[in-house]
Amino acid sequence: MRQILNRLALFIVFLCAAGTASFAQDSTRSVDPTLLGIESGRPKEYIVRSVTVTGAQFLDTAIVVSISGIQPGDKIQIPGSDVFSKAITNLWRQRLFSNIQIYITSIVGDNITIEINVQERPRLGNFKFEGVKKSDAEDLQGKIGLSKATLITENTRRTAVDVIQKFYAGKGYRNVQVRFVETPNKNLPNSNDIVIYVDKGKKVKVNQLSFYGNESVSDIKLKKEMKGTKEMSKLTLNPAKSTSPFGTNDRITAGEWARNWGFLSFTKTKAFLDPYIRVKLFSGAKFDPKKYGEDLEKILDYYNAQGYRDAVIEDTAMYYTSDGNLNIDVKVNEGRKYYFGNISFRGNTKYSDSVLHAYLRIRKGDTYNLDVLNKRLGKQLSAEGGDISALYMDYGYLFFRADPVETSVYNDTIDYEIRLVEGPQATIKNVNIFGNDKTKDYVIRRELRTVPGDKFSRSDLIRSQRELSQLQFFNQEKINPGVNPNQEDGTVDINWSLEEKSSDQLELSAGWGGGIGLTGTLGVTFNNFSIRNIFKKETWDPLPSGDGQKLSLRIQSNGRAYRSYNFSFTEPWLGGKKRNPLTVSFYNSKYSNSYDYATGRYSKAAGDTAYLRTIGVGVSLGKQLKWPDDYFSLVYSINYTQYKLKNYDFQGFGFRNGTSNNISLKIGLQRSSVFDPQFPTSGSNISASVQFTPPYSIINPGVVTAANQYKNPEYHKWRFNAEWFVPLGRPKGEDKNRQFVLKLAAKYGFMGRYNRQLDFSPFERFQLGGDGLTNNQGILGYDVIALRGYPVFQTSNPALNPDLTQASEYFTIFNKYSLELRYPLVRNASSTIYALTFFDAANGWKNFQSYNPFRLRRSVGVGMRFFLPMFGMLGFDYGVGLDRINPNEKGLKNASKFTFMLGFEPE
């Protein structure tokens, strides 16, 4: 009987394998069914008495039975049933087993007992990479998806190989070989350790990029479009010379040059090579398949922009050179160049054809460019506006649509009809705000131009986004005005989605200089403060916040010689209805000569015998203007500062003992249209101001004399600052937030006097040079103007090239011009980091007699800026003063200067 049952089991395996031969390994045996006592052609129905599972070490046997689909009590007809083949198929699909067999282990009457024998696939124990760098191994571990206890299948291996090959293909390796070596893990049953051997091979670079069929566009222009696929650096024969020092070859690689001529100094070989070669330097010559595909699309985009709308890439070919690099051939079919013909409008009732043509800015005969047409119609949304869609949406036509339709194509000319659907004007119904966990709703709503009941305006939406960004309470990248139109009732809901970010700042620093040695600074600024909740304990987290007010506290001291206290509070919306910022400030500083020459130490007694002390208060009130536009604002401020001197000698002062009271009024007009104050990409900041004291010598000509002129100093000071930010090129990066930005700046300052018989006021002058940070002259109200690459201008410093103008501790006139090229490295909520290179030119003069705006001190250099939510702005610059360079000295040690800044950008 046992022999019969074994044969029956083999027969079942045979029957299952006949239907699914790939699912069972024992599928080659044949069994005569008559040996089992089953008559051929006469099937019989059996009842499954029980189902057991053998061979499973980790899986629950009940799950295996459930997946198989065979359950106790099931009726199975033998032969003729496909139950067993389906069971094997179901189990195999799970990819958990390397072998599956089903046995009938007993037959009692009409009842049968079934055994499912499985062999589980091995699981992963440990794995490691061989033949790769540690950093690459760490990157690959997170990409291939392998972890302990993962089932080892052919699919697992194939996936790992694909990931590894794609990973290195992006690095320029196209011939990567991957090999797996498995060994049993001694500590884990049914587990294998895997060593993944990677042979990267040689990095494949683009040796030569050739184009065929391009008759109208040169190879050079097409290669410029392929920014991700560059040729290797080459030395190319100058066609102006008929012979070459390298023989008959007219092109060699830099590597061949090094092999043939050695690593020669460029300065030594330049005179020899210049008549014969031209140097072509292309960076990034490695081949990246993904970038190559993108570059081919860029070529077609370029052709389309030039009017060749039928241009296609007919064929490409890639073949290896003898040294394993890649030659690429691209065959293009340019087709015909097209031009715009007649453009007409249909469906416009709000604006005439002449107005729409003025916004479209496309004339008959212009080179055909569909992207330009779509952009001018507004089908590609742009924050700058200036398109037809923006024209309509600024007046509430949210449902506006413009569809360009080709009406005629004749020869090389294409006529268009722009079909407009103006639709109804949309009214703002609901304005909802989400994500403001700390900032109060009213602080946000007062900045919004999107008000329920008003007509929808695209420009108001963009302006609202700018105003929220200017608060610096929210992540600028996450300020999202969700516009939900409802065409049925002609309304629109605007759902502002925000993400709070830390806006408070801590300043903790130490510095050396200013004639006082080591100075420590501790400052805190709360940019979203709430003074009305200051007595509500439950609102302190850690301080009351959410009302958009600003509170700043700052302390500087080095002990005996210098200390300074500063306090300021700003309410940006005085009265709560209009943007009328009110600022109140107080400061108290003391600069003393506390060094006791008799004892050789600093002492309090010495500090009390010679010092300069200042106490000041200021109040300013701003007002947003509506004309010429609402980017303008007017600021009035009144300041009082008391200067008390005791046995204090200071260059430029006419007195060393006494008290001076400086009362001044300042009026400033400014316009700011920048979007992101941390890294502006467009817009401008322009300001003009005048600060003046009462003309005491004119009011009381007999009272104010040269002897007492410092008791109530008089002056008038004029300032003009202008900054423009110009984006260069196209935005890059995944979020399209990386773009070169050119900053152009000009600054002017002039300090005058009412009475020429009196000296200039010893306060409120200008100082140039250095890092622009406030020094010991800061307590005198000096405007410290930075000039990177130069120390502070001093008479005692001949290195400043005094031939340009007389050097001085102070000036009453200054000019400064700056150019900065910026590029962002990081732009997100947690930080903004950008690199820059600069050119500065500035100078100062004591009076108009010596004023020459063309005699400027110049500098160039590089720098970095880091904006961190907690610390504000951190930055450094390395500048070289071009007018400090001494041709008789080697290097730039005495002509360069490293400057560091913390908390703010110096003037």
Side-chain angles (χ1 to χ4, degrees):
M1 185 64 182
R2 179 67 179 176
Q3 183 179 10
I4 295 175
L5 291 176
N6 287 339
R7 291 185 174 183
L8 181 60
L10 292 175
F11 176 60
I12 293 175
V13 172
F14 171 72
L15 291 177
C16 296
T20 57
S22 61
F23 299 134
Q25 293 182 352
D26 214 358
S27 60
T28 59
R29 298 182 182 178
S30 60
V31 179
D32 187 354
T34 60
L35 297 177
L36 302 176
I38 301 176
E39 296 184 11
S40 178
R42 296 185 61 184
K44 182 179 178 181
E45 189 174 74
Y46 294 90
I47 299 174
V48 178
R49 182 179 180 182
S50 64
V51 180
T52 60
V53 177
T54 58
Q57 301 181 29
F58 299 97
L59 293 173
D60 189 340
T61 57
I63 295 178
V64 176
V65 172
S66 176
I67 293 173
S68 71
I70 301 176
Q71 301 293 332
D74 288 352
K75 295 180 179 181
I76 301 176
Q77 182 174 284
I78 302 177
S81 175
D82 61 352
V83 171
F84 298 111
S85 62
K86 287 183 178 180
I88 293 176
T89 302
N90 293 338
L91 292 170
W92 194 260
R93 284 175 179 168
Q94 308 308 309
R95 300 181 182 275
L96 301 174
F97 311 105
S98 60
N99 192 23
I100 305 168
Q101 293 180 328
I102 298 179
Y103 299 95
I104 296 178
T105 56
S106 69
I107 299 177
V108 179
D110 293 339
N111 296 320
I112 60 174
T113 301
I114 295 177
E115 175 188 337
I116 302 176
N117 180 262
V118 296
Q119 182 179 342
E120 294 182 356
R121 292 185 184 276
R123 294 177 180 268
L124 180 62
N126 300 309
F127 74 96
K128 65 178 181 178
F129 294 92
E130 292 289 347
V132 302
K133 295 186 300 184
K134 182 179 179 181
S135 58
D136 288 351
E138 293 174 351
D139 291 340
L140 287 170
Q141 284 179 357
K143 294 178 180 294
I144 62 177
L146 292 180
S147 60
K148 279 193 173 183
T150 300
L151 287 171
I152 303 175
T153 65
E154 286 302 319
N155 185 61
T156 304
R157 296 185 184 91
R158 284 195 300 269
T159 300
V161 171
D162 290 342
V163 170
I164 294 171
Q165 290 179 339
K166 288 180 180 179
F167 176 80
Y168 282 107
K171 295 177 177 289
Y173 298 93
R174 287 179 51 83
N175 302 311
V176 179
Q177 301 296 323
V178 183
R179 182 168 57 93
F180 292 82
V181 175
E182 296 185 31
T183 56
N185 188 294
K186 297 179 180 179
N187 299 320
L188 299 174
N190 196 38
S191 296
N192 290 347
D193 293 338
I194 296 180
V195 179
I196 305 175
Y197 291 90
V198 180
D199 182 5
K200 297 184 294 185
K202 181 183 176 182
K203 180 178 286 189
V204 177
K205 296 184 177 181
V206 179
N207 176 66
Q208 184 172 328
L209 183 59
S210 303
F211 292 92
Y212 300 90
N214 53 314
E215 298 177 356
S216 302
V217 181
S218 67
D219 286 10
I220 294 177
K221 290 183 178 179
L222 294 179
K223 288 177 181 180
K224 285 183 179 180
E225 296 301 314
M226 301 188 72
K227 293 179 170 48
T229 309
K230 297 293 186 182
E231 292 176 311
M232 295 169 58
S233 301
K234 300 182 185 303
L235 299 174
T236 306
L237 177 65
N238 189 335
K241 294 291 179 178
S242 58
T243 60
S244 167
F246 304 110
T248 57
N249 294 332
D250 66 346
R251 176 175 292 182
I252 66 170
T253 66
E256 291 170 342
W257 181 42
R259 288 193 296 270
N260 294 335
W261 292 84
F263 294 96
L264 303 177
S265 167
F266 177 77
T267 56
K268 293 180 180 179
T269 59
K270 184 177 186 298
F272 169 71
L273 294 176
D274 271 351
Y276 297 96
I277 63 171
R278 295 178 302 185
V279 179
K280 294 169 62 179
L281 296 176
F282 292 102
S283 60
K286 69 180 182 181
F287 179 76
D288 187 328
K290 181 180 179 181
K291 291 183 178 179
Y292 172 66
E294 294 172 352
D295 287 341
L296 294 179
E297 293 296 327
K298 290 178 181 177
I299 289 178
L300 295 180
D301 292 341
Y302 178 77
Y303 267 111
N304 292 337
Q306 305 305 311
Y308 297 92
R309 72 168 190 169
D310 298 333
V312 295
I313 295 177
E314 289 190 336
D315 196 9
T316 61
M318 292 185 288
Y319 48 95
Y320 289 97
T321 62
S322 58
D323 57 357
N325 291 315
L326 199 62
N327 286 342
I328 300 177
D329 295 339
V330 179
K331 183 180 180 181
V332 299
N333 185 344
E334 294 179 335
R336 169 180 286 180
K337 183 173 182 177
Y338 289 89
Y339 301 87
F340 281 110
N342 297 313
I343 300 179
S344 60
F345 294 92
R346 179 181 177 185
N348 51 308
T349 59
K350 173 68 176 178
Y351 298 104
S352 64
D353 287 6
S354 59
V355 172
L356 297 180
H357 275 295
Y359 273 81
L360 190 63
R361 304 189 302 281
I362 296 177
R363 297 182 178 180
K364 184 176 182 179
D366 287 352
T367 298
Y368 175 82
N369 189 332
L370 185 59
D371 285 341
V372 170
L373 177 61
N374 288 330
K375 185 176 181 180
R376 303 280 172 82
L377 290 176
K379 300 181 79 65
Q380 302 173 5
L381 294 180
S382 171
E384 291 80 11
D387 52 69
I388 292 178
S389 178
L391 175 66
Y392 273 93
M393 288 190 178
D394 281 346
Y395 285 89
Y397 292 92
L398 178 61
F399 310 106
F400 168 83
R401 190 175 75 250
D403 298 319
V405 178
E406 292 184 10
T407 56
S408 178
V409 180
Y410 48 97
N411 296 326
D412 59 356
T413 304
I414 303 176
D415 291 344
Y416 268 97
E417 180 181 79
I418 311 300
R419 299 175 183 175
L420 307 179
V421 179
E422 295 177 342
Q425 288 180 290
T427 302
I428 300 175
K429 185 176 182 181
N430 299 309
V431 177
N432 303 310
I433 302 172
F434 304 96
N436 54 319
D437 302 325
K438 182 170 66 174
T439 307
K440 305 293 192 301
D441 273 10
Y442 82 90
V443 174
I444 299 171
R445 291 188 182 277
R446 69 190 184 189
E447 302 290 344
L448 300 180
R449 306 295 180 95
T450 54
V451 181
D454 288 356
K455 297 297 182 182
F456 176 85
S457 172
R458 178 180 176 275
S459 60
D460 285 347
L461 194 73
I462 295 174
R463 182 65 183 274
S464 298
Q465 192 172 2
R466 172 190 178 273
E467 300 299 341
L468 293 178
S469 176
Q470 292 284 81
L471 292 175
Q472 300 191 51
F473 301 159
F474 310 106
N475 179 4
Q476 183 197 355
E477 305 296 329
K478 298 297 180 67
I479 299 177
N480 180 27
V483 179
N484 296 321
N486 187 348
Q487 196 164 2
E488 294 181 358
D489 59 3
T491 63
V492 57
D493 291 341
I494 300 177
N495 301 316
W496 288 96
S497 177
L498 307 173
E499 181 182 288
E500 297 263 12
K501 71 174 184 179
S502 176
S503 58
D504 299 331
Q505 297 175 358
L506 171 66
E507 180 183 358
L508 184 62
S509 64
W512 182 277
I516 57 177
L518 182 66
T519 303
T521 302
L522 174 62
V524 290
T525 301
F526 304 100
N527 289 303
N528 196 1
F529 190 67
S530 175
I531 195 171
R532 68 177 178 177
N533 291 326
I534 198 169
F535 297 110
K536 297 180 181 180
K537 185 178 180 180
E538 64 276 7
T539 63
W540 285 60
D541 186 29
L543 287 175
S545 60
D547 283 337
Q549 298 161 341
K550 181 178 180 179
L551 177 67
S552 180
L553 303 169
R554 191 169 185 264
I555 301 174
Q556 275 188 303
S557 177
N558 82 327
R560 302 292 186 187
Y562 176 73
R563 57 111 181 113
S564 175
Y565 311 121
N566 293 270
F567 162 84
S568 67
F569 173 79
T570 301
E571 166 54 67
W573 286 66
L574 183 63
K577 295 183 179 180
K578 295 182 179 181
R579 188 183 284 109
N580 299 326
L582 172 69
T583 299
V584 179
S585 61
F586 169 81
Y587 48 94
N588 186 323
S589 302
K590 183 178 181 181
Y591 184 82
S592 60
N593 184 10
S594 58
Y595 187 79
D596 190 337
Y597 291 93
T599 62
R601 295 183 303 176
Y602 288 97
S603 66
K604 184 176 185 300
D608 290 338
T609 59
Y611 61 82
L612 167 63
R613 186 175 65 192
T614 64
I615 299 175
V617 294
V619 179
S620 68
L621 179 64
K623 180 182 180 181
Q624 186 178 16
L625 304 179
K626 298 294 184 181
W627 186 89
D629 59 40
D630 56 6
Y631 288 110
F632 280 88
S633 61
L634 190 63
V635 181
Y636 307 90
S637 61
I638 185 169
N639 298 277
Y640 167 74
T641 305
Q642 182 189 77
Y643 300 93
K644 188 172 184 179
L645 288 80
K646 182 177 182 181
N647 298 323
Y648 194 83
D649 292 313
F650 197 86
Q651 182 179 356
F653 268 51
F655 72 109
R656 61 193 302 267
N657 287 283
T659 300
S660 179
N661 297 287
N662 181 10
I663 302 175
S664 65
L665 176 67
K666 184 177 181 179
I667 302 175
L669 179 66
Q670 58 189 30
R671 184 184 189 275
S672 176
S673 60
V674 300
F675 196 89
D676 179 7
Q678 292 182 354
F679 187 80
T681 57
S682 62
S684 62
N685 289 318
I686 301 175
S687 65
S689 66
V690 56
Q691 181 179 355
F692 56 91
T693 64
Y696 301 108
S697 62
I698 298 177
I699 298 174
N700 297 308
V703 176
V704 180
T705 63
N708 64 2
Q709 61 177 318
Y710 300 115
K711 182 178 181 180
N712 294 294
E714 59 180 31
Y715 59 88
H716 52 92
K717 184 167 70 172
W718 305 78
R719 289 291 307 271
F720 176 80
N721 295 341
E723 297 176 338
W724 293 271
F725 301 92
V726 182
L728 303 177
R730 297 180 180 179
K732 300 178 180 179
E734 294 182 0
D735 297 329
K736 299 297 181 182
N737 61 356
R738 295 189 180 184
Q739 184 177 24
F740 281 103
V741 175
L742 181 64
K743 174 188 174 183
L744 302 95
K747 302 178 188 295
Y748 305 96
F750 166 70
M751 180 180 182
R753 50 187 173 177
Y754 301 112
N755 191 337
R756 293 185 177 274
Q757 303 301 319
L758 304 179
D759 193 7
F760 285 99
S761 167
F763 314 110
E764 302 291 343
R765 299 172 177 175
F766 303 113
Q767 185 184 63
L768 270 72
D771 53 17
L773 301 179
T774 301
N775 47 42
N776 56 328
Q777 278 82 4
I779 63 176
L780 301 175
Y782 278 29
D783 290 357
V784 184
I785 311 301
L787 181 56
R788 294 169 283 195
Y790 288 86
V792 175
F793 290 10
Q794 296 176 350
T795 305
S796 59
N797 192 344
L800 292 173
N801 189 11
D803 292 336
L804 283 176
T805 183
Q806 55 180 347
S808 176
E809 292 279 2
Y810 72 92
F811 302 98
T812 60
I813 307 171
F814 85 91
N815 293 354
K816 181 182 177 181
Y817 308 93
S818 295
L819 286 175
E820 279 188 7
L821 182 63
R822 302 174 170 184
Y823 186 77
L825 304 177
V826 176
R827 293 190 69 187
N828 52 46
S830 59
S831 62
T832 297
I833 303 174
Y834 64 86
L836 62 89
T837 180
F838 65 84
F839 170 78
D840 287 345
N843 210 346
W845 300 267
K846 291 191 68 174
N847 49 55
F848 267 119
Q849 285 72 26
S850 60
Y851 178 70
N852 185 345
F854 302 103
R855 306 295 297 273
L856 302 172
R857 293 179 169 94
R858 302 155 300 163
S859 66
V860 295
V862 295
M864 293 283 291
R865 297 292 183 271
F866 307 82
F867 286 90
L868 305 176
M870 191 63 183
F871 297 97
M873 193 277 292
L874 304 174
F876 65 84
D877 292 317
Y878 176 78
V880 178
L882 300 180
D883 298 295
R884 298 176 64 198
I885 297 177
N886 188 339
N888 299 321
E889 295 181 355
K890 293 184 178 180
L892 300 173
K893 181 179 179 180
N894 295 324
S896 60
K897 193 173 188 299
F898 184 89
T899 56
F900 178 78
M901 57 212 72
L902 175 65
F904 66 96
E905 185 86 25
E907 285 201 76

